[in-house]
Each structure stands twice: as structure tokens, then as C-alpha cells.
Amino acid sequence: MLRFLPVLALVLATGACTAIVQLPVTGTVGDRTSLNGFAVARSDTPLGRYAVQTADRTLSCNGVYDASSNEPRMIVAVSCDDGRFGAVDVRRTPDLMSGTGSGRLNDGTPIKVAFSPPPKAE
């Protein structure tokens, strides 16, 4: 039992060191359907996740991206709960914390996204 406690303490301390970055994401599907949500990256995995949805929650889309990439351009797969899917060509700023993207779903519907950190409180 005494050997178990130091191992448990080490596991808990390691888990507490995970850095998490969460950025707001906005976008549109088609001409007027607005989407809002978040992209989340964690230091303990190279895969980031994002999820967006309409204000009335009738449509949501999500996916994963390579959060470990330092490239200014990424092609990100998107999957929506209504069965549509596609890809978005994302262009990021040099600090990788902001960007915009556009693409199409499999039915031809255009999709646009933008992300950036929230404004700092003064």
C-alpha cells in the first residue's frame, strides 16, 4: 500500500501539468447560417478538437486537427450531425492563435470559419 501512494501522487501531479488552449470559433454554413463554438488543444495530445453549432442547436459540426503543427496552412476535415462532411482550408497567423478558413461540404454548401483569442480585459 505504501508503494502505491507515491505512484498515485506522481500520476496526479503529471495530470495537473496539462496545458489547455481554448479559442472561440465563429463561422457560417451556406449564406446565412451562423455557427459558434470552440477549438481546444491540449499539451498531452497532438490532436486538437473543435465543435461549432447554430444558436438554435439544429446543426452542429466538429472534427479534429493537428494541434502540434506549426504550419500556417491546414486542411481540416469537418463532419456535421446532419450527415454532411467536407474540408476547410485554414490560414493561420504567424502566432498560430488566429486565422480564417473556407471550404465546402459534400453537397456543395460553402463553409467559412474564423478563430482568435478573446479580447483581453483592461
Side-chain angles (χ1 to χ4, degrees), residues 4-5 8-9 31 51 93 99 122:
F4 176 73
L5 291 177
L8 178 60
D31 292 334
T93 57
E122 294 181 30

Side-chain angles (χ1 to χ4, degrees), residues 48-91:
R49 299 187 179 281
Y50 70 89
V52 293
Q53 66 182 5
T54 57
D56 63 4
R57 298 182 180 180
T58 57
L59 176 66
S60 64
C61 301
N62 62 70
V64 297
Y65 63 96
D66 183 359
S68 67
S69 171
N70 291 325
E71 296 297 319
R73 181 178 180 204
M74 298 172 66
I75 305 298
V76 178
V78 60
S79 177
C80 299
D81 64 359
D82 64 359
R84 294 183 290 176
F85 58 91
V88 177
D89 184 356
V90 176
R91 308 289 174 122

Side-chain angles (χ1 to χ4, degrees), residues 4 8 10 20 62 75 94 99 104-105 108 113 121:
F4 176 73
L8 178 60
L10 180 61
I20 299 172
N62 62 70
I75 305 298
R104 293 208 174 269
L105 298 176
V113 297

